């Protein structure tokens, strides 16, 4: 039997893993400068957590979750996103009592049984942040700013920040009534998905890609905001303007998950095709309460790493090449003995060193050293060992230097 990848999943192979490591290092660097601390939660949770937080009528819960019973017949689910788990951990560990402005971030795999296509996978990777405690427009701004500056740091072109406010729960209910009233006479002209959503999750009719044009005249949710939500939203916009962050107000932006309130935003890239969202987020002030904790206003975003990689490729991003400091070309068993000892000492000083294990000819060892991007090569034969004189070859230009084993490290920079 031939084993194959599960549809919608992929391997990160050795030739590409440095790109992931680079992005992950950059994420950690950003998080540390904005004072966000990492939180790592299990990749599976009780199913109820996701149902309760993301919402029964959402695409994720209604059709995309990988759910299975454990041996005691408890229903478990592979996490489709990380906010619900993070808030579960916040409640369980009283994290906001310990820190009234809790700032956390995560990086890891998420699982959704979506129809695979470019930029959409069944196991994909997100990083994200969650800031819990104060209801502060400045915090919304900081969360948005972190995302904007992060993408800017890769000099990505064609990236846009879109923003909207969907108000508090009360506003949303009033708005949904108005929206349904507006849509009622015309909903039969919409796609099947929208017709279903009209009954189950009417807000989602707004972000339908197929019926985008038809939605241009729907009532604007921002016209329905109460005083507090309006003031909050205006303050976020003021902060963006004051800091010269360009943005586009998109009154059709509502996000797909039930737990959002007030500010919602997305960073999109026109390089990405249909799946254009690099990252999406917003406020979710009621989520912790919904999960049984105390009212804990929160704001955050989740960003897809695969989509970032796709847009980096579209922008011909030059990732730093990997290299090896030194490759030992060995002529026989005895020389391998020496190479093993000197490799050990050089590695303990921080050099990246490798040698031949395949008993290849000198010529093919040299070829291999070239292929794996070795900066220097040393060929060791009996003569080199007897005389303690070696030749270090710089691969870049073929220049050679004579030295001894003990002084070898001086030539490796
Ligand atoms: P969401 O949790 O749906 O708001 O998604 C946040 C971000 O995660 C999106 O903007 C995408 O960059 C990424 N994302 C979501 N679903 C997928 C998927 N199935 N495959 C790849 N990336 C995804």
């Amino acid at each position: 039997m031939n084993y194959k990848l599960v549809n919608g999943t992929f391997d990160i192979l050795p030739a590409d893993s440095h790109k992931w490591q680079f992005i992950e290092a950059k994420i950690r660097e950003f998080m540390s400068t904005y004072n966000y601390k990492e939180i790592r939660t299990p990749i599976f949770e009780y199913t109820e957590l996701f149902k309760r937080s993301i919402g029964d009528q959402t695409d994720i819960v209604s059709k995309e979750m990988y759910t299975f019973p454990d041996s005691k017949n408890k229903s478990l689910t592979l996490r489709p996103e990380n906010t619900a788990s993070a808030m579960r951990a916040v409640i369980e560990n009283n994290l906001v009592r310990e820190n009234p402005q809790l700032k956390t971030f995560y990086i890891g795999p998420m699982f959704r049984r979506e129809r695979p296509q470019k930029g959409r996978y069944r196991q994909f990777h997100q990083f994200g942040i969650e800031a819990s405690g104060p209801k502060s427009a400045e915090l919304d701004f900081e969360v948005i700013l972190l995302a904007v500056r992060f993408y800017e740091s890769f000099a990505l072109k064609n990236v846009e920040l879109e923003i909207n406010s969907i108000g508090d729960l009360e506003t949303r209910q009033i708005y949904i009534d108005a929206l349904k009233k507006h849509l009622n006479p015309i909903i039969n002209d919409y796609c099947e998905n929208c017709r279903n959503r009209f009954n189950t999750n009417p807000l989602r009719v707004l972000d339908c890609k197929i019926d985008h044009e038809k939605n241009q005249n729907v009532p604007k949710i921002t016209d329905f905001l109460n005083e507090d939500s309006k003031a909050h939203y205006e303050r976020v916009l003021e902060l963006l303007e004051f800091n010269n962050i360009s943005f586009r107000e998109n009154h059709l932006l509502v996000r797909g998950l039930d737990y959002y309130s007030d500010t919602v935003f997305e960073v999109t890239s026109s390089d990405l095709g249909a799946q254009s969202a690099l990252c999406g987020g917003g406020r979710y002030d009621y989520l912790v309460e919904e999960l049984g904790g105390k009212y804990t206003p929160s704001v955050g975003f989740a960003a897809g790493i695969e989509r970032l990689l796709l847009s980096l490729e579209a922008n011909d991003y030059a990732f730093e090449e990997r290299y090896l400091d030194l490759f030992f070309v060995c002529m026989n068993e005895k020389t391998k003995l020496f190479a093993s000892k000197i490799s050990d000492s050089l590695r303990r000083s921080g050099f990246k060193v490798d040698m031949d294990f395949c008993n290849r000819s000198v010529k093919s060892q040299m070829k291999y050293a070239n292929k794996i991007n070795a900066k220097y090569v040393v060929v060791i034969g009996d003569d080199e060992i007897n005389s303690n004189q070696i030749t270090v070859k710089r691969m870049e230009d073929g220049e050679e230097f004579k030295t001894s084993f003990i002084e070898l490290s001086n030539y490796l920079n």
Side-chain angles (χ1 to χ4, degrees), residues 29-60:
E29 185 190 305
F30 256 82
M31 296 308 168
S32 139
T33 56
Y34 284 76
N35 196 27
Y36 284 76
K37 307 249 164 34
E38 186 173 7
I39 184 163
R40 297 189 195 193
T41 59
I43 61 165
F44 59 95
E45 301 267 357
Y46 290 119
T47 304
E48 200 46 40
L49 174 71
F50 301 118
K51 283 192 168 176
R52 193 64 193 251
S53 53
I54 300 169
D56 275 331
Q57 302 303 331
T58 58
D59 287 352
I60 294 180

Short mmCIF file of all heavy atoms in Angstrom, two decimals, residues 29-60:
data_model
loop_
_atom_site.label_atom_id
_atom_site.label_comp_id
_atom_site.label_asym_id
_atom_site.label_seq_id
_atom_site.Cartn_x
_atom_site.Cartn_y
_atom_site.Cartn_z
N GLU A 29 10.09 38.03 17.49
CA GLU A 29 10.77 39.32 17.68
C GLU A 29 9.72 40.43 17.81
O GLU A 29 9.78 41.26 18.72
CB GLU A 29 11.63 39.51 16.43
CG GLU A 29 12.54 40.68 16.37
CD GLU A 29 13.09 40.76 14.93
OE1 GLU A 29 13.65 39.76 14.44
OE2 GLU A 29 12.89 41.82 14.29
N PHE A 30 8.72 40.42 16.92
CA PHE A 30 7.66 41.43 16.98
C PHE A 30 6.91 41.36 18.30
O PHE A 30 6.63 42.37 18.93
CB PHE A 30 6.68 41.24 15.82
CG PHE A 30 6.88 42.25 14.75
CD1 PHE A 30 7.86 42.06 13.81
CD2 PHE A 30 6.11 43.40 14.71
CE1 PHE A 30 8.08 43.01 12.82
CE2 PHE A 30 6.31 44.36 13.73
CZ PHE A 30 7.30 44.16 12.78
N MET A 31 6.56 40.14 18.69
CA MET A 31 5.76 39.97 19.91
C MET A 31 6.53 40.50 21.11
O MET A 31 5.97 41.10 22.01
CB MET A 31 5.42 38.50 20.12
CG MET A 31 4.53 37.94 19.03
SD MET A 31 3.08 38.98 18.78
CE MET A 31 2.46 38.32 17.25
N SER A 32 7.82 40.26 21.11
CA SER A 32 8.59 40.70 22.25
C SER A 32 8.68 42.23 22.29
O SER A 32 8.58 42.83 23.36
CB SER A 32 9.95 39.98 22.21
OG SER A 32 10.96 40.82 22.55
N THR A 33 8.77 42.89 21.12
CA THR A 33 8.87 44.35 21.16
C THR A 33 7.54 45.00 21.57
O THR A 33 7.52 46.10 22.10
CB THR A 33 9.36 44.97 19.83
OG1 THR A 33 8.50 44.54 18.79
CG2 THR A 33 10.77 44.56 19.49
N TYR A 34 6.43 44.30 21.34
CA TYR A 34 5.12 44.84 21.77
C TYR A 34 4.69 44.26 23.12
O TYR A 34 3.57 44.47 23.56
CB TYR A 34 4.05 44.53 20.72
CG TYR A 34 4.09 45.41 19.48
CD1 TYR A 34 5.06 45.21 18.49
CD2 TYR A 34 3.16 46.42 19.29
CE1 TYR A 34 5.09 45.99 17.35
CE2 TYR A 34 3.17 47.20 18.14
CZ TYR A 34 4.14 46.98 17.17
OH TYR A 34 4.16 47.76 16.03
N ASN A 35 5.57 43.48 23.73
CA ASN A 35 5.32 42.88 25.06
C ASN A 35 4.17 41.86 25.09
O ASN A 35 3.36 41.84 26.01
CB ASN A 35 5.09 43.97 26.11
CG ASN A 35 5.22 43.41 27.52
OD1 ASN A 35 5.93 42.42 27.75
ND2 ASN A 35 4.50 44.00 28.47
N TYR A 36 4.09 41.02 24.06
CA TYR A 36 3.13 39.90 24.07
C TYR A 36 3.88 38.63 24.45
O TYR A 36 4.96 38.38 23.92
CB TYR A 36 2.45 39.73 22.70
CG TYR A 36 1.40 40.78 22.45
CD1 TYR A 36 1.77 42.09 22.11
CD2 TYR A 36 0.05 40.50 22.61
CE1 TYR A 36 0.82 43.07 21.91
CE2 TYR A 36 -0.91 41.48 22.41
CZ TYR A 36 -0.52 42.77 22.07
OH TYR A 36 -1.47 43.74 21.87
N LYS A 37 3.30 37.84 25.39
CA LYS A 37 3.97 36.62 25.85
C LYS A 37 3.27 35.40 25.26
O LYS A 37 2.04 35.37 25.14
CB LYS A 37 3.92 36.53 27.37
CG LYS A 37 4.44 37.78 28.07
CD LYS A 37 5.73 37.48 28.78
CE LYS A 37 6.53 38.71 29.19
NZ LYS A 37 5.83 39.90 29.59
N GLU A 38 4.07 34.39 24.94
CA GLU A 38 3.50 33.23 24.25
C GLU A 38 2.59 32.40 25.16
O GLU A 38 2.87 32.19 26.33
CB GLU A 38 4.62 32.33 23.72
CG GLU A 38 4.07 31.20 22.86
CD GLU A 38 5.16 30.39 22.17
OE1 GLU A 38 6.35 30.60 22.45
OE2 GLU A 38 4.78 29.53 21.35
N ILE A 39 1.49 31.92 24.57
CA ILE A 39 0.62 30.96 25.26
C ILE A 39 0.53 29.74 24.35
O ILE A 39 0.37 29.89 23.13
CB ILE A 39 -0.76 31.57 25.58
CG1 ILE A 39 -1.61 30.58 26.37
CG2 ILE A 39 -1.52 32.04 24.35
CD1 ILE A 39 -2.80 31.24 27.08
N ARG A 40 0.70 28.54 24.91
CA ARG A 40 0.59 27.31 24.10
C ARG A 40 -0.52 26.46 24.70
O ARG A 40 -0.40 26.02 25.84
CB ARG A 40 1.89 26.53 24.13
CG ARG A 40 3.05 27.28 23.52
CD ARG A 40 4.26 26.39 23.36
NE ARG A 40 5.45 27.20 23.11
CZ ARG A 40 6.60 26.72 22.68
NH1 ARG A 40 6.73 25.42 22.47
NH2 ARG A 40 7.62 27.52 22.48
N THR A 41 -1.54 26.24 23.92
CA THR A 41 -2.65 25.43 24.40
C THR A 41 -2.66 24.11 23.60
O THR A 41 -2.06 24.04 22.53
CB THR A 41 -3.99 26.18 24.19
OG1 THR A 41 -4.13 26.46 22.80
CG2 THR A 41 -4.03 27.48 24.98
N PRO A 42 -3.35 23.08 24.12
CA PRO A 42 -3.37 21.79 23.40
C PRO A 42 -4.02 21.94 22.02
O PRO A 42 -4.83 22.85 21.82
CB PRO A 42 -4.26 20.91 24.29
CG PRO A 42 -4.25 21.56 25.63
CD PRO A 42 -4.09 23.02 25.39
N ILE A 43 -3.68 21.03 21.10
CA ILE A 43 -4.31 21.16 19.78
C ILE A 43 -5.70 20.55 19.75
O ILE A 43 -6.41 20.68 18.77
CB ILE A 43 -3.45 20.62 18.61
CG1 ILE A 43 -3.18 19.15 18.77
CG2 ILE A 43 -2.19 21.41 18.41
CD1 ILE A 43 -2.66 18.54 17.49
N PHE A 44 -6.12 19.86 20.80
CA PHE A 44 -7.53 19.47 20.84
C PHE A 44 -8.16 19.86 22.17
O PHE A 44 -7.49 20.00 23.18
CB PHE A 44 -7.75 17.98 20.53
CG PHE A 44 -7.05 17.01 21.45
CD1 PHE A 44 -7.73 16.48 22.54
CD2 PHE A 44 -5.75 16.63 21.20
CE1 PHE A 44 -7.09 15.57 23.38
CE2 PHE A 44 -5.11 15.72 22.04
CZ PHE A 44 -5.78 15.19 23.13
N GLU A 45 -9.46 20.11 22.09
CA GLU A 45 -10.23 20.57 23.25
C GLU A 45 -11.58 19.85 23.20
O GLU A 45 -11.94 19.24 22.19
CB GLU A 45 -10.51 22.08 23.15
CG GLU A 45 -9.29 22.97 23.05
CD GLU A 45 -8.79 23.50 24.41
OE1 GLU A 45 -9.44 23.21 25.44
OE2 GLU A 45 -7.75 24.17 24.41
N TYR A 46 -12.34 19.98 24.28
CA TYR A 46 -13.71 19.47 24.21
C TYR A 46 -14.48 20.27 23.15
O TYR A 46 -14.38 21.50 23.08
CB TYR A 46 -14.39 19.60 25.57
CG TYR A 46 -13.81 18.64 26.58
CD1 TYR A 46 -13.20 19.10 27.75
CD2 TYR A 46 -13.84 17.26 26.34
CE1 TYR A 46 -12.65 18.21 28.65
CE2 TYR A 46 -13.28 16.37 27.23
CZ TYR A 46 -12.69 16.84 28.39
OH TYR A 46 -12.12 15.96 29.26
N THR A 47 -15.24 19.55 22.34
CA THR A 47 -15.95 20.14 21.20
C THR A 47 -16.81 21.33 21.61
O THR A 47 -16.90 22.34 20.91
CB THR A 47 -16.84 19.06 20.54
OG1 THR A 47 -16.00 17.97 20.20
CG2 THR A 47 -17.57 19.58 19.32
N GLU A 48 -17.43 21.20 22.77
CA GLU A 48 -18.36 22.22 23.24
C GLU A 48 -17.72 23.61 23.30
O GLU A 48 -18.38 24.62 23.05
CB GLU A 48 -18.86 21.80 24.64
CG GLU A 48 -20.14 22.43 25.10
CD GLU A 48 -21.25 22.43 24.04
OE1 GLU A 48 -21.40 21.42 23.32
OE2 GLU A 48 -21.93 23.47 23.91
N LEU A 49 -16.43 23.65 23.61
CA LEU A 49 -15.73 24.95 23.71
C LEU A 49 -15.84 25.71 22.38
O LEU A 49 -16.13 26.91 22.36
CB LEU A 49 -14.24 24.73 24.05
CG LEU A 49 -13.38 25.99 24.02
CD1 LEU A 49 -13.71 26.90 25.20
CD2 LEU A 49 -11.89 25.65 24.03
N PHE A 50 -15.62 25.01 21.28
CA PHE A 50 -15.65 25.68 19.98
C PHE A 50 -17.09 26.00 19.56
O PHE A 50 -17.36 27.04 18.97
CB PHE A 50 -14.95 24.84 18.92
CG PHE A 50 -13.52 24.57 19.25
CD1 PHE A 50 -13.05 23.28 19.45
CD2 PHE A 50 -12.63 25.62 19.40
CE1 PHE A 50 -11.73 23.04 19.78
CE2 PHE A 50 -11.30 25.40 19.73
CZ PHE A 50 -10.86 24.10 19.92
N LYS A 51 -18.00 25.08 19.88
CA LYS A 51 -19.41 25.33 19.52
C LYS A 51 -19.89 26.59 20.21
O LYS A 51 -20.54 27.44 19.63
CB LYS A 51 -20.27 24.16 19.97
CG LYS A 51 -20.18 22.96 19.07
CD LYS A 51 -21.28 22.01 19.43
CE LYS A 51 -21.45 20.93 18.41
NZ LYS A 51 -22.45 19.96 18.79
N ARG A 52 -19.57 26.66 21.50
CA ARG A 52 -20.05 27.77 22.31
C ARG A 52 -19.44 29.10 21.87
O ARG A 52 -20.11 30.12 21.83
CB ARG A 52 -19.66 27.47 23.77
CG ARG A 52 -20.32 28.34 24.78
CD ARG A 52 -21.81 28.09 24.75
NE ARG A 52 -22.52 29.10 25.47
CZ ARG A 52 -23.13 28.88 26.63
NH1 ARG A 52 -23.14 27.68 27.17
NH2 ARG A 52 -23.76 29.86 27.25
N SER A 53 -18.15 29.08 21.53
CA SER A 53 -17.48 30.35 21.27
C SER A 53 -17.62 30.77 19.81
O SER A 53 -17.94 31.92 19.52
CB SER A 53 -16.02 30.27 21.66
OG SER A 53 -15.42 29.15 21.04
N ILE A 54 -17.38 29.88 18.89
CA ILE A 54 -17.38 30.27 17.47
C ILE A 54 -18.80 30.41 16.96
O ILE A 54 -19.10 31.27 16.13
CB ILE A 54 -16.58 29.24 16.64
CG1 ILE A 54 -15.13 29.19 17.16
CG2 ILE A 54 -16.59 29.58 15.17
CD1 ILE A 54 -14.32 28.05 16.61
N GLY A 55 -19.72 29.58 17.48
CA GLY A 55 -21.14 29.69 17.12
C GLY A 55 -21.59 28.54 16.24
O GLY A 55 -20.94 28.22 15.25
N ASP A 56 -22.73 27.95 16.61
CA ASP A 56 -23.27 26.78 15.91
C ASP A 56 -23.53 27.01 14.42
O ASP A 56 -23.42 26.10 13.62
CB ASP A 56 -24.62 26.39 16.54
CG ASP A 56 -24.39 25.50 17.75
OD1 ASP A 56 -23.38 24.78 17.75
OD2 ASP A 56 -25.23 25.53 18.67
N GLN A 57 -23.91 28.24 14.09
CA GLN A 57 -24.32 28.51 12.70
C GLN A 57 -23.18 28.91 11.79
O GLN A 57 -23.38 29.15 10.61
CB GLN A 57 -25.40 29.62 12.68
CG GLN A 57 -26.63 29.32 13.48
CD GLN A 57 -27.30 28.02 13.02
OE1 GLN A 57 -27.19 27.64 11.85
NE2 GLN A 57 -27.95 27.33 13.93
N THR A 58 -21.98 29.01 12.34
CA THR A 58 -20.85 29.42 11.50
C THR A 58 -20.41 28.26 10.62
O THR A 58 -20.69 27.09 10.92
CB THR A 58 -19.65 29.85 12.37
OG1 THR A 58 -19.32 28.74 13.20
CG2 THR A 58 -19.99 31.05 13.23
N ASP A 59 -19.72 28.57 9.51
CA ASP A 59 -19.22 27.52 8.63
C ASP A 59 -18.30 26.59 9.41
O ASP A 59 -18.35 25.37 9.23
CB ASP A 59 -18.42 28.14 7.47
CG ASP A 59 -19.35 28.82 6.47
OD1 ASP A 59 -20.58 28.67 6.61
OD2 ASP A 59 -18.84 29.50 5.56
N ILE A 60 -17.45 27.18 10.24
CA ILE A 60 -16.46 26.35 10.95
C ILE A 60 -17.16 25.28 11.76
O ILE A 60 -16.88 24.09 11.63
CB ILE A 60 -15.58 27.23 11.89
CG1 ILE A 60 -14.72 28.19 11.06
CG2 ILE A 60 -14.71 26.36 12.79
CD1 ILE A 60 -13.82 29.09 11.89
#
